[in-house]
Amino acid sequence: MIGGGVLGLEAANSLRKRGHDISVVEFFPRLLPRQMDPEGAEVLQAQMESMGCRFFLGAKTKEISGDDRASGVLLEDGSMIEGGLVIISAGVRAQAGLAGTLGLTVNRGIPVNDRMETEKKGVFAAGDVIEHRDMCYGIWPAAQTQGEVAGTNIAGGDVTYEGTTMSNVLKVVGIDLAAAGDIDADGKYDAITHKDRDNFIYKKIVIKEHVISGCILYGDITGYRKILKAIEEKKDVSGIMDRLGKWDISAL
Ligand SMILES: Cc1cc2nc3c(=O)[nH]c(=O)nc-3n(C[C@H](O)[C@H](O)[C@H](O)COP(=O)(O)OP(=O)(O)OC[C@H]3O[C@@H](n4cnc5c(N)ncnc54)[C@H](O)[C@@H]3O)c2cc1C
C-alpha cells in the first residue's frame, strides 16, 4: 500500500482481513499525518503492527517492479518490498480542467474569496476544487457550507464563508478516531494528553491562548462533540483547566 492516510489504511486493513500480508509505505515519518501527531500515530502503528501490518515510514517510492504483473516496490534508499499487488492511495487532486479553460488561476485549488467568487466576476466555485484563505479542505461539511454560500450569492444574496473547523470522525481499522482543528503535530502549544499504550488509547486537547484549538481522540472518542463545540465557539477554558486535566469533559 503506497500511502498511509485514512483511505490507504482502511484498504490495507480490509486486505489484511482477507489474509494478505500488508506493507504500508508512507512518505511522512508517521501514519495519518493530517489527523495524528507523532505520539498518537505511534499508538496506531503499534496497534496495526500487532495485527500483522508492516510499515515503511519516511519512505519514498522509486519504482514498481515486475513485467506482466507487479512483483514489488523499490524505495529510493534501495530497499525492495516484495508484493504481488500494489495499491496507490496518495491523496486527491482537483479536477480543475474546466477552470483552466476559463482562464482562471489554479493553484492547489481554484482561489475564491469569502463569497465563493473566483477571480472572474460572476464565476463561483465551491467544494473540494477550491482554495479559500489558502486552505483546501477536502471534507464534506466544508463543501456543503461552501455550496450553500455560493448558491445564495449566485441567486442574488450576500453571504460570506469564514472557513470550517477541520474535523474528522473516522473508523480507522475498526477503531474510533476523531480529530479536529489544529492538532499541533509539532508540539508548539500547551496540551492535555492521555496515553494508554497497552489499551491503544491516545487523547490530546491542544490549548492555545486559553482556548481549545484542536484535539485528537483515538480509541475513545467520548466527549468529542463537546470538545468540537468548544473549539468552534473559541471558549475560554482558563477557569476549568484542573478539571480538563483530569479529562472531566463535562466541565466544557
Ligand atoms: C473514498 C473517499 C472517502 C471520503 N470520506 C469522507 C468522509 O468520511 N468524511 C468527509 O467529510 N469527507 C469524505 N470524503 C471527501 C468528500 O467526499 C468530499 O469532500 C466531497 O465529496 C466534496 O464534494 P464536491 O461536490 O466538492 O466534489 P465531488 O463530490 O468530487 O463532486 C464533483 C463532481 O463534479 C464532477 N465533475 C468534475 N469535472 C466536471 C466537469 N468539467 N463537468 C461536469 N462535472 C464535472 C465529478 O465527476 C463529480 O461528480 C471522502 C472522499 C473520498 C474520495
Side-chain angles (χ1 to χ4, degrees), residues 35-36 40 168-170 172 175-180 183 192 194 200-205 214-228 247 249:
Q35 288 84 14
M36 283 290 211
N168 285 104
V169 183
L170 313 158
V172 192
I175 304 138
D176 286 319
L177 166 68
I183 60 164
I192 298 165
H194 170 78
F200 301 120
I201 288 173
Y202 178 72
K203 303 197 279 188
K204 171 179 176 181
I205 291 177
C215 73
I216 301 171
L217 304 177
Y218 177 75
D220 172 15
I221 62 168
T222 316
Y224 175 65
R225 290 282 144 214
K226 278 200 150 181
I227 299 171
L228 182 60
W247 279 96
I249 302 301

PDB file of all heavy atoms in Angstrom, residues 35-36 40 168-170 172 175-180 183 192 194 200-205 214-228 247 249:
ATOM      1  N   GLN A  35      -4.263  13.705  10.638  1.00  0.00           N
ATOM      2  CA  GLN A  35      -5.147  13.520  11.809  1.00  0.00           C
ATOM      3  C   GLN A  35      -4.373  13.216  13.087  1.00  0.00           C
ATOM      4  O   GLN A  35      -4.938  13.302  14.164  1.00  0.00           O
ATOM      5  CB  GLN A  35      -6.126  12.370  11.564  1.00  0.00           C
ATOM      6  CG  GLN A  35      -7.222  12.650  10.556  1.00  0.00           C
ATOM      7  CD  GLN A  35      -6.784  12.417   9.125  1.00  0.00           C
ATOM      8  OE1 GLN A  35      -5.757  11.800   8.884  1.00  0.00           O
ATOM      9  NE2 GLN A  35      -7.538  12.932   8.175  1.00  0.00           N
ATOM     10  N   MET A  36      -3.105  12.809  12.971  1.00  0.00           N
ATOM     11  CA  MET A  36      -2.368  12.337  14.138  1.00  0.00           C
ATOM     12  C   MET A  36      -1.064  13.087  14.344  1.00  0.00           C
ATOM     13  O   MET A  36      -0.363  13.400  13.379  1.00  0.00           O
ATOM     14  CB  MET A  36      -2.024  10.851  13.949  1.00  0.00           C
ATOM     15  CG  MET A  36      -3.178   9.935  14.179  1.00  0.00           C
ATOM     16  SD  MET A  36      -3.614   9.893  15.929  1.00  0.00           S
ATOM     17  CE  MET A  36      -4.230   8.223  16.040  1.00  0.00           C
ATOM     18  N   GLY A  40       0.389   9.968  18.884  1.00  0.00           N
ATOM     19  CA  GLY A  40      -0.831   9.235  18.536  1.00  0.00           C
ATOM     20  C   GLY A  40      -0.572   8.250  17.405  1.00  0.00           C
ATOM     21  O   GLY A  40      -1.048   7.107  17.430  1.00  0.00           O
ATOM     22  N   ASN A 168     -12.739  15.402  11.581  1.00  0.00           N
ATOM     23  CA  ASN A 168     -12.999  14.083  11.019  1.00  0.00           C
ATOM     24  C   ASN A 168     -13.378  13.134  12.135  1.00  0.00           C
ATOM     25  O   ASN A 168     -12.715  13.103  13.168  1.00  0.00           O
ATOM     26  CB  ASN A 168     -11.742  13.486  10.365  1.00  0.00           C
ATOM     27  CG  ASN A 168     -11.415  14.117   9.027  1.00  0.00           C
ATOM     28  OD1 ASN A 168     -10.505  14.922   8.937  1.00  0.00           O
ATOM     29  ND2 ASN A 168     -12.144  13.759   8.004  1.00  0.00           N
ATOM     30  N   VAL A 169     -14.440  12.400  11.947  1.00  0.00           N
ATOM     31  CA  VAL A 169     -14.721  11.273  12.837  1.00  0.00           C
ATOM     32  C   VAL A 169     -14.648  10.043  11.948  1.00  0.00           C
ATOM     33  O   VAL A 169     -15.374   9.939  10.969  1.00  0.00           O
ATOM     34  CB  VAL A 169     -16.124  11.369  13.471  1.00  0.00           C
ATOM     35  CG1 VAL A 169     -16.333  10.217  14.445  1.00  0.00           C
ATOM     36  CG2 VAL A 169     -16.289  12.685  14.187  1.00  0.00           C
ATOM     37  N   LEU A 170     -13.731   9.175  12.275  1.00  0.00           N
ATOM     38  CA  LEU A 170     -13.443   8.058  11.377  1.00  0.00           C
ATOM     39  C   LEU A 170     -13.389   6.764  12.137  1.00  0.00           C
ATOM     40  O   LEU A 170     -13.244   6.742  13.362  1.00  0.00           O
ATOM     41  CB  LEU A 170     -12.050   8.244  10.754  1.00  0.00           C
ATOM     42  CG  LEU A 170     -11.683   9.588  10.196  1.00  0.00           C
ATOM     43  CD1 LEU A 170     -10.192   9.709  10.145  1.00  0.00           C
ATOM     44  CD2 LEU A 170     -12.261   9.723   8.824  1.00  0.00           C
ATOM     45  N   VAL A 172     -10.732   3.957  11.912  1.00  0.00           N
ATOM     46  CA  VAL A 172      -9.503   3.501  11.288  1.00  0.00           C
ATOM     47  C   VAL A 172      -9.306   2.078  11.765  1.00  0.00           C
ATOM     48  O   VAL A 172      -9.251   1.837  12.976  1.00  0.00           O
ATOM     49  CB  VAL A 172      -8.283   4.352  11.738  1.00  0.00           C
ATOM     50  CG1 VAL A 172      -7.098   4.056  10.853  1.00  0.00           C
ATOM     51  CG2 VAL A 172      -8.613   5.800  11.708  1.00  0.00           C
ATOM     52  N   ILE A 175     -11.186   1.080  14.628  1.00  0.00           N
ATOM     53  CA  ILE A 175     -11.016   1.822  15.888  1.00  0.00           C
ATOM     54  C   ILE A 175     -11.496   3.263  15.663  1.00  0.00           C
ATOM     55  O   ILE A 175     -11.237   3.853  14.614  1.00  0.00           O
ATOM     56  CB  ILE A 175      -9.528   1.837  16.298  1.00  0.00           C
ATOM     57  CG1 ILE A 175      -9.018   0.405  16.392  1.00  0.00           C
ATOM     58  CG2 ILE A 175      -9.305   2.577  17.603  1.00  0.00           C
ATOM     59  CD1 ILE A 175      -7.668   0.211  15.814  1.00  0.00           C
ATOM     60  N   ASP A 176     -12.190   3.807  16.655  1.00  0.00           N
ATOM     61  CA  ASP A 176     -12.697   5.170  16.515  1.00  0.00           C
ATOM     62  C   ASP A 176     -11.570   6.187  16.583  1.00  0.00           C
ATOM     63  O   ASP A 176     -10.695   6.106  17.452  1.00  0.00           O
ATOM     64  CB  ASP A 176     -13.688   5.478  17.652  1.00  0.00           C
ATOM     65  CG  ASP A 176     -15.014   4.775  17.444  1.00  0.00           C
ATOM     66  OD1 ASP A 176     -15.479   4.735  16.289  1.00  0.00           O
ATOM     67  OD2 ASP A 176     -15.572   4.264  18.428  1.00  0.00           O
ATOM     68  N   LEU A 177     -11.626   7.139  15.691  1.00  0.00           N
ATOM     69  CA  LEU A 177     -10.671   8.252  15.733  1.00  0.00           C
ATOM     70  C   LEU A 177     -11.431   9.529  15.407  1.00  0.00           C
ATOM     71  O   LEU A 177     -12.182   9.589  14.437  1.00  0.00           O
ATOM     72  CB  LEU A 177      -9.551   8.057  14.698  1.00  0.00           C
ATOM     73  CG  LEU A 177      -8.688   9.286  14.419  1.00  0.00           C
ATOM     74  CD1 LEU A 177      -7.839   9.653  15.633  1.00  0.00           C
ATOM     75  CD2 LEU A 177      -7.769   9.054  13.228  1.00  0.00           C
ATOM     76  N   ALA A 178     -11.245  10.532  16.254  1.00  0.00           N
ATOM     77  CA  ALA A 178     -11.816  11.844  15.968  1.00  0.00           C
ATOM     78  C   ALA A 178     -10.685  12.863  16.084  1.00  0.00           C
ATOM     79  O   ALA A 178      -9.898  12.815  17.037  1.00  0.00           O
ATOM     80  CB  ALA A 178     -12.934  12.164  16.957  1.00  0.00           C
ATOM     81  N   ALA A 179     -10.587  13.729  15.106  1.00  0.00           N
ATOM     82  CA  ALA A 179      -9.559  14.769  15.147  1.00  0.00           C
ATOM     83  C   ALA A 179     -10.188  16.055  14.652  1.00  0.00           C
ATOM     84  O   ALA A 179     -10.988  16.029  13.718  1.00  0.00           O
ATOM     85  CB  ALA A 179      -8.374  14.383  14.271  1.00  0.00           C
ATOM     86  N   ALA A 180      -9.848  17.166  15.302  1.00  0.00           N
ATOM     87  CA  ALA A 180     -10.433  18.437  14.882  1.00  0.00           C
ATOM     88  C   ALA A 180      -9.460  19.582  15.122  1.00  0.00           C
ATOM     89  O   ALA A 180      -8.609  19.503  16.011  1.00  0.00           O
ATOM     90  CB  ALA A 180     -11.730  18.705  15.655  1.00  0.00           C
ATOM     91  N   ILE A 183      -4.168  20.167  15.327  1.00  0.00           N
ATOM     92  CA  ILE A 183      -3.715  19.047  16.177  1.00  0.00           C
ATOM     93  C   ILE A 183      -2.301  19.282  16.705  1.00  0.00           C
ATOM     94  O   ILE A 183      -1.775  18.471  17.452  1.00  0.00           O
ATOM     95  CB  ILE A 183      -3.794  17.681  15.449  1.00  0.00           C
ATOM     96  CG1 ILE A 183      -2.916  17.688  14.180  1.00  0.00           C
ATOM     97  CG2 ILE A 183      -5.236  17.313  15.130  1.00  0.00           C
ATOM     98  CD1 ILE A 183      -2.630  16.301  13.635  1.00  0.00           C
ATOM     99  N   ILE A 192      -3.222  18.880  26.882  1.00  0.00           N
ATOM    100  CA  ILE A 192      -3.572  17.887  27.901  1.00  0.00           C
ATOM    101  C   ILE A 192      -3.611  16.557  27.151  1.00  0.00           C
ATOM    102  O   ILE A 192      -4.337  16.417  26.167  1.00  0.00           O
ATOM    103  CB  ILE A 192      -4.959  18.206  28.510  1.00  0.00           C
ATOM    104  CG1 ILE A 192      -4.926  19.567  29.198  1.00  0.00           C
ATOM    105  CG2 ILE A 192      -5.378  17.110  29.480  1.00  0.00           C
ATOM    106  CD1 ILE A 192      -6.300  20.132  29.500  1.00  0.00           C
ATOM    107  N   HIS A 194      -3.501  12.106  27.215  1.00  0.00           N
ATOM    108  CA  HIS A 194      -3.715  10.857  27.956  1.00  0.00           C
ATOM    109  C   HIS A 194      -3.303   9.725  27.012  1.00  0.00           C
ATOM    110  O   HIS A 194      -3.872   9.587  25.921  1.00  0.00           O
ATOM    111  CB  HIS A 194      -5.184  10.722  28.360  1.00  0.00           C
ATOM    112  CG  HIS A 194      -5.519   9.370  28.905  1.00  0.00           C
ATOM    113  ND1 HIS A 194      -5.204   8.996  30.190  1.00  0.00           N
ATOM    114  CD2 HIS A 194      -6.119   8.283  28.338  1.00  0.00           C
ATOM    115  CE1 HIS A 194      -5.616   7.747  30.387  1.00  0.00           C
ATOM    116  NE2 HIS A 194      -6.165   7.297  29.275  1.00  0.00           N
ATOM    117  N   PHE A 200      -4.183   0.824  23.680  1.00  0.00           N
ATOM    118  CA  PHE A 200      -4.223   1.554  22.413  1.00  0.00           C
ATOM    119  C   PHE A 200      -5.188   2.740  22.477  1.00  0.00           C
ATOM    120  O   PHE A 200      -6.117   2.855  21.676  1.00  0.00           O
ATOM    121  CB  PHE A 200      -4.583   0.614  21.254  1.00  0.00           C
ATOM    122  CG  PHE A 200      -3.619  -0.533  21.089  1.00  0.00           C
ATOM    123  CD1 PHE A 200      -4.052  -1.845  21.192  1.00  0.00           C
ATOM    124  CD2 PHE A 200      -2.274  -0.299  20.839  1.00  0.00           C
ATOM    125  CE1 PHE A 200      -3.175  -2.901  21.041  1.00  0.00           C
ATOM    126  CE2 PHE A 200      -1.384  -1.355  20.701  1.00  0.00           C
ATOM    127  CZ  PHE A 200      -1.833  -2.651  20.800  1.00  0.00           C
ATOM    128  N   ILE A 201      -4.959   3.590  23.468  1.00  0.00           N
ATOM    129  CA  ILE A 201      -5.763   4.812  23.587  1.00  0.00           C
ATOM    130  C   ILE A 201      -4.814   6.016  23.604  1.00  0.00           C
ATOM    131  O   ILE A 201      -3.773   5.990  24.279  1.00  0.00           O
ATOM    132  CB  ILE A 201      -6.637   4.786  24.859  1.00  0.00           C
ATOM    133  CG1 ILE A 201      -7.786   3.782  24.674  1.00  0.00           C
ATOM    134  CG2 ILE A 201      -7.206   6.170  25.182  1.00  0.00           C
ATOM    135  CD1 ILE A 201      -8.626   3.533  25.887  1.00  0.00           C
ATOM    136  N   TYR A 202      -5.172   7.043  22.848  1.00  0.00           N
ATOM    137  CA  TYR A 202      -4.395   8.278  22.868  1.00  0.00           C
ATOM    138  C   TYR A 202      -5.361   9.453  22.725  1.00  0.00           C
ATOM    139  O   TYR A 202      -6.184   9.478  21.811  1.00  0.00           O
ATOM    140  CB  TYR A 202      -3.374   8.309  21.734  1.00  0.00           C
ATOM    141  CG  TYR A 202      -2.586   9.593  21.698  1.00  0.00           C
ATOM    142  CD1 TYR A 202      -1.629   9.867  22.672  1.00  0.00           C
ATOM    143  CD2 TYR A 202      -2.822  10.547  20.719  1.00  0.00           C
ATOM    144  CE1 TYR A 202      -0.916  11.060  22.650  1.00  0.00           C
ATOM    145  CE2 TYR A 202      -2.122  11.746  20.697  1.00  0.00           C
ATOM    146  CZ  TYR A 202      -1.167  11.988  21.662  1.00  0.00           C
ATOM    147  OH  TYR A 202      -0.463  13.170  21.651  1.00  0.00           O
ATOM    148  N   LYS A 203      -5.266  10.391  23.666  1.00  0.00           N
ATOM    149  CA  LYS A 203      -6.167  11.547  23.621  1.00  0.00           C
ATOM    150  C   LYS A 203      -5.352  12.825  23.873  1.00  0.00           C
ATOM    151  O   LYS A 203      -4.443  12.825  24.714  1.00  0.00           O
ATOM    152  CB  LYS A 203      -7.271  11.424  24.677  1.00  0.00           C
ATOM    153  CG  LYS A 203      -8.086  10.146  24.516  1.00  0.00           C
ATOM    154  CD  LYS A 203      -9.404  10.197  25.251  1.00  0.00           C
ATOM    155  CE  LYS A 203      -9.266   9.884  26.712  1.00  0.00           C
ATOM    156  NZ  LYS A 203     -10.586   9.766  27.359  1.00  0.00           N
ATOM    157  N   LYS A 204      -5.715  13.845  23.144  1.00  0.00           N
ATOM    158  CA  LYS A 204      -4.981  15.107  23.294  1.00  0.00           C
ATOM    159  C   LYS A 204      -5.915  16.289  23.043  1.00  0.00           C
ATOM    160  O   LYS A 204      -6.708  16.270  22.102  1.00  0.00           O
ATOM    161  CB  LYS A 204      -3.846  15.130  22.264  1.00  0.00           C
ATOM    162  CG  LYS A 204      -3.106  16.455  22.129  1.00  0.00           C
ATOM    163  CD  LYS A 204      -2.010  16.295  21.088  1.00  0.00           C
ATOM    164  CE  LYS A 204      -1.279  17.571  20.815  1.00  0.00           C
ATOM    165  NZ  LYS A 204      -0.230  17.412  19.795  1.00  0.00           N
ATOM    166  N   ILE A 205      -5.818  17.277  23.920  1.00  0.00           N
ATOM    167  CA  ILE A 205      -6.537  18.542  23.706  1.00  0.00           C
ATOM    168  C   ILE A 205      -5.477  19.637  23.633  1.00  0.00           C
ATOM    169  O   ILE A 205      -4.656  19.766  24.548  1.00  0.00           O
ATOM    170  CB  ILE A 205      -7.522  18.838  24.866  1.00  0.00           C
ATOM    171  CG1 ILE A 205      -8.685  17.848  24.860  1.00  0.00           C
ATOM    172  CG2 ILE A 205      -8.058  20.259  24.766  1.00  0.00           C
ATOM    173  CD1 ILE A 205      -9.670  18.036  26.012  1.00  0.00           C
ATOM    174  N   GLY A 214      -7.665  22.486  19.175  1.00  0.00           N
ATOM    175  CA  GLY A 214      -7.727  21.236  18.418  1.00  0.00           C
ATOM    176  C   GLY A 214      -7.726  20.038  19.340  1.00  0.00           C
ATOM    177  O   GLY A 214      -7.507  20.160  20.552  1.00  0.00           O
ATOM    178  N   CYS A 215      -8.008  18.875  18.778  1.00  0.00           N
ATOM    179  CA  CYS A 215      -7.991  17.649  19.591  1.00  0.00           C
ATOM    180  C   CYS A 215      -7.740  16.416  18.731  1.00  0.00           C
ATOM    181  O   CYS A 215      -7.980  16.428  17.519  1.00  0.00           O
ATOM    182  CB  CYS A 215      -9.296  17.489  20.363  1.00  0.00           C
ATOM    183  SG  CYS A 215     -10.696  17.021  19.319  1.00  0.00           S
ATOM    184  N   ILE A 216      -7.250  15.378  19.392  1.00  0.00           N
ATOM    185  CA  ILE A 216      -7.136  14.041  18.789  1.00  0.00           C
ATOM    186  C   ILE A 216      -7.716  13.081  19.823  1.00  0.00           C
ATOM    187  O   ILE A 216      -7.320  13.116  20.990  1.00  0.00           O
ATOM    188  CB  ILE A 216      -5.662  13.636  18.557  1.00  0.00           C
ATOM    189  CG1 ILE A 216      -4.946  14.621  17.630  1.00  0.00           C
ATOM    190  CG2 ILE A 216      -5.574  12.213  17.996  1.00  0.00           C
ATOM    191  CD1 ILE A 216      -3.437  14.383  17.538  1.00  0.00           C
ATOM    192  N   LEU A 217      -8.653  12.267  19.413  1.00  0.00           N
ATOM    193  CA  LEU A 217      -9.182  11.229  20.304  1.00  0.00           C
ATOM    194  C   LEU A 217      -9.079   9.909  19.565  1.00  0.00           C
ATOM    195  O   LEU A 217      -9.768   9.702  18.555  1.00  0.00           O
ATOM    196  CB  LEU A 217     -10.638  11.508  20.675  1.00  0.00           C
ATOM    197  CG  LEU A 217     -10.957  12.863  21.323  1.00  0.00           C
ATOM    198  CD1 LEU A 217     -12.457  12.989  21.554  1.00  0.00           C
ATOM    199  CD2 LEU A 217     -10.220  13.032  22.633  1.00  0.00           C
ATOM    200  N   TYR A 218      -8.220   9.025  20.025  1.00  0.00           N
ATOM    201  CA  TYR A 218      -8.020   7.734  19.354  1.00  0.00           C
ATOM    202  C   TYR A 218      -8.339   6.598  20.327  1.00  0.00           C
ATOM    203  O   TYR A 218      -7.803   6.556  21.432  1.00  0.00           O
ATOM    204  CB  TYR A 218      -6.563   7.612  18.876  1.00  0.00           C
ATOM    205  CG  TYR A 218      -6.253   6.270  18.243  1.00  0.00           C
ATOM    206  CD1 TYR A 218      -6.705   5.977  16.958  1.00  0.00           C
ATOM    207  CD2 TYR A 218      -5.537   5.298  18.924  1.00  0.00           C
ATOM    208  CE1 TYR A 218      -6.451   4.750  16.375  1.00  0.00           C
ATOM    209  CE2 TYR A 218      -5.272   4.067  18.344  1.00  0.00           C
ATOM    210  CZ  TYR A 218      -5.734   3.800  17.068  1.00  0.00           C
ATOM    211  OH  TYR A 218      -5.476   2.585  16.495  1.00  0.00           O
ATOM    212  N   GLY A 219      -9.247   5.730  19.925  1.00  0.00           N
ATOM    213  CA  GLY A 219      -9.586   4.575  20.773  1.00  0.00           C
ATOM    214  C   GLY A 219     -10.713   4.863  21.742  1.00  0.00           C
ATOM    215  O   GLY A 219     -11.335   3.946  22.254  1.00  0.00           O
ATOM    216  N   ASP A 220     -10.981   6.143  22.008  1.00  0.00           N
ATOM    217  CA  ASP A 220     -12.075   6.529  22.900  1.00  0.00           C
ATOM    218  C   ASP A 220     -12.468   7.959  22.532  1.00  0.00           C
ATOM    219  O   ASP A 220     -11.736   8.903  22.828  1.00  0.00           O
ATOM    220  CB  ASP A 220     -11.596   6.461  24.368  1.00  0.00           C
ATOM    221  CG  ASP A 220     -12.645   7.034  25.324  1.00  0.00           C
ATOM    222  OD1 ASP A 220     -13.807   7.208  24.907  1.00  0.00           O
ATOM    223  OD2 ASP A 220     -12.281   7.319  26.489  1.00  0.00           O
ATOM    224  N   ILE A 221     -13.608   8.092  21.850  1.00  0.00           N
ATOM    225  CA  ILE A 221     -13.970   9.436  21.364  1.00  0.00           C
ATOM    226  C   ILE A 221     -15.071  10.070  22.224  1.00  0.00           C
ATOM    227  O   ILE A 221     -15.740  11.001  21.803  1.00  0.00           O
ATOM    228  CB  ILE A 221     -14.370   9.425  19.865  1.00  0.00           C
ATOM    229  CG1 ILE A 221     -15.609   8.545  19.606  1.00  0.00           C
ATOM    230  CG2 ILE A 221     -13.225   8.959  18.999  1.00  0.00           C
ATOM    231  CD1 ILE A 221     -16.199   8.748  18.213  1.00  0.00           C
ATOM    232  N   THR A 222     -15.194   9.586  23.468  1.00  0.00           N
ATOM    233  CA  THR A 222     -16.182  10.155  24.387  1.00  0.00           C
ATOM    234  C   THR A 222     -15.942  11.663  24.532  1.00  0.00           C
ATOM    235  O   THR A 222     -14.800  12.088  24.736  1.00  0.00           O
ATOM    236  CB  THR A 222     -16.038   9.504  25.778  1.00  0.00           C
ATOM    237  OG1 THR A 222     -15.891   8.118  25.605  1.00  0.00           O
ATOM    238  CG2 THR A 222     -17.234   9.789  26.664  1.00  0.00           C
ATOM    239  N   GLY A 223     -16.984  12.442  24.437  1.00  0.00           N
ATOM    240  CA  GLY A 223     -16.875  13.892  24.667  1.00  0.00           C
ATOM    241  C   GLY A 223     -16.488  14.681  23.428  1.00  0.00           C
ATOM    242  O   GLY A 223     -16.342  15.907  23.484  1.00  0.00           O
ATOM    243  N   TYR A 224     -16.341  13.987  22.289  1.00  0.00           N
ATOM    244  CA  TYR A 224     -15.851  14.693  21.091  1.00  0.00           C
ATOM    245  C   TYR A 224     -16.741  15.867  20.695  1.00  0.00           C
ATOM    246  O   TYR A 224     -16.247  16.954  20.386  1.00  0.00           O
ATOM    247  CB  TYR A 224     -15.713  13.701  19.923  1.00  0.00           C
ATOM    248  CG  TYR A 224     -15.342  14.388  18.634  1.00  0.00           C
ATOM    249  CD1 TYR A 224     -14.101  15.026  18.507  1.00  0.00           C
ATOM    250  CD2 TYR A 224     -16.217  14.434  17.557  1.00  0.00           C
ATOM    251  CE1 TYR A 224     -13.749  15.677  17.334  1.00  0.00           C
ATOM    252  CE2 TYR A 224     -15.868  15.082  16.374  1.00  0.00           C
ATOM    253  CZ  TYR A 224     -14.633  15.695  16.277  1.00  0.00           C
ATOM    254  OH  TYR A 224     -14.296  16.345  15.119  1.00  0.00           O
ATOM    255  N   ARG A 225     -18.064  15.665  20.707  1.00  0.00           N
ATOM    256  CA  ARG A 225     -18.975  16.734  20.272  1.00  0.00           C
ATOM    257  C   ARG A 225     -18.790  17.987  21.130  1.00  0.00           C
ATOM    258  O   ARG A 225     -18.777  19.103  20.634  1.00  0.00           O
ATOM    259  CB  ARG A 225     -20.434  16.271  20.356  1.00  0.00           C
ATOM    260  CG  ARG A 225     -20.821  15.248  19.355  1.00  0.00           C
ATOM    261  CD  ARG A 225     -21.063  15.874  17.967  1.00  0.00           C
ATOM    262  NE  ARG A 225     -20.598  14.956  16.931  1.00  0.00           N
ATOM    263  CZ  ARG A 225     -20.057  15.316  15.774  1.00  0.00           C
ATOM    264  NH1 ARG A 225     -19.898  16.578  15.469  1.00  0.00           N
ATOM    265  NH2 ARG A 225     -19.667  14.427  14.897  1.00  0.00           N
ATOM    266  N   LYS A 226     -18.631  17.764  22.451  1.00  0.00           N
ATOM    267  CA  LYS A 226     -18.459  18.916  23.360  1.00  0.00           C
ATOM    268  C   LYS A 226     -17.147  19.637  23.063  1.00  0.00           C
ATOM    269  O   LYS A 226     -17.083  20.877  23.082  1.00  0.00           O
ATOM    270  CB  LYS A 226     -18.429  18.415  24.817  1.00  0.00           C
ATOM    271  CG  LYS A 226     -19.797  18.183  25.394  1.00  0.00           C
ATOM    272  CD  LYS A 226     -19.732  18.189  26.897  1.00  0.00           C
ATOM    273  CE  LYS A 226     -21.062  18.695  27.435  1.00  0.00           C
ATOM    274  NZ  LYS A 226     -21.116  18.763  28.853  1.00  0.00           N
ATOM    275  N   ILE A 227     -16.112  18.849  22.827  1.00  0.00           N
ATOM    276  CA  ILE A 227     -14.808  19.466  22.548  1.00  0.00           C
ATOM    277  C   ILE A 227     -14.878  20.252  21.241  1.00  0.00           C
ATOM    278  O   ILE A 227     -14.409  21.393  21.153  1.00  0.00           O
ATOM    279  CB  ILE A 227     -13.695  18.388  22.484  1.00  0.00           C
ATOM    280  CG1 ILE A 227     -13.569  17.659  23.825  1.00  0.00           C
ATOM    281  CG2 ILE A 227     -12.352  19.018  22.105  1.00  0.00           C
ATOM    282  CD1 ILE A 227     -12.656  16.442  23.813  1.00  0.00           C
ATOM    283  N   LEU A 228     -15.519  19.654  20.224  1.00  0.00           N
ATOM    284  CA  LEU A 228     -15.632  20.328  18.926  1.00  0.00           C
ATOM    285  C   LEU A 228     -16.404  21.647  19.067  1.00  0.00           C
ATOM    286  O   LEU A 228     -16.019  22.671  18.497  1.00  0.00           O
ATOM    287  CB  LEU A 228     -16.328  19.396  17.920  1.00  0.00           C
ATOM    288  CG  LEU A 228     -16.484  19.927  16.496  1.00  0.00           C
ATOM    289  CD1 LEU A 228     -15.125  20.227  15.861  1.00  0.00           C
ATOM    290  CD2 LEU A 228     -17.248  18.930  15.621  1.00  0.00           C
ATOM    291  N   TRP A 247      -9.493  15.006  32.530  1.00  0.00           N
ATOM    292  CA  TRP A 247     -10.389  14.570  31.453  1.00  0.00           C
ATOM    293  C   TRP A 247     -11.861  14.610  31.875  1.00  0.00           C
ATOM    294  O   TRP A 247     -12.650  13.753  31.504  1.00  0.00           O
ATOM    295  CB  TRP A 247     -10.013  13.183  30.915  1.00  0.00           C
ATOM    296  CG  TRP A 247      -8.882  13.328  29.951  1.00  0.00           C
ATOM    297  CD1 TRP A 247      -7.560  13.167  30.244  1.00  0.00           C
ATOM    298  CD2 TRP A 247      -8.958  13.734  28.584  1.00  0.00           C
ATOM    299  NE1 TRP A 247      -6.803  13.461  29.134  1.00  0.00           N
ATOM    300  CE2 TRP A 247      -7.640  13.802  28.100  1.00  0.00           C
ATOM    301  CE3 TRP A 247     -10.007  14.057  27.725  1.00  0.00           C
ATOM    302  CZ2 TRP A 247      -7.337  14.166  26.806  1.00  0.00           C
ATOM    303  CZ3 TRP A 247      -9.701  14.414  26.422  1.00  0.00           C
ATOM    304  CH2 TRP A 247      -8.385  14.474  25.974  1.00  0.00           C
ATOM    305  N   ILE A 249     -14.674  16.153  30.858  1.00  0.00           N
ATOM    306  CA  ILE A 249     -15.159  16.919  29.703  1.00  0.00           C
ATOM    307  C   ILE A 249     -16.499  17.588  30.024  1.00  0.00           C
ATOM    308  O   ILE A 249     -16.893  18.559  29.373  1.00  0.00           O
ATOM    309  CB  ILE A 249     -15.299  15.989  28.461  1.00  0.00           C
ATOM    310  CG1 ILE A 249     -13.953  15.336  28.141  1.00  0.00           C
ATOM    311  CG2 ILE A 249     -15.807  16.740  27.235  1.00  0.00           C
ATOM    312  CD1 ILE A 249     -12.819  16.282  27.853  1.00  0.00           C
TER     313      ILE A 249
END
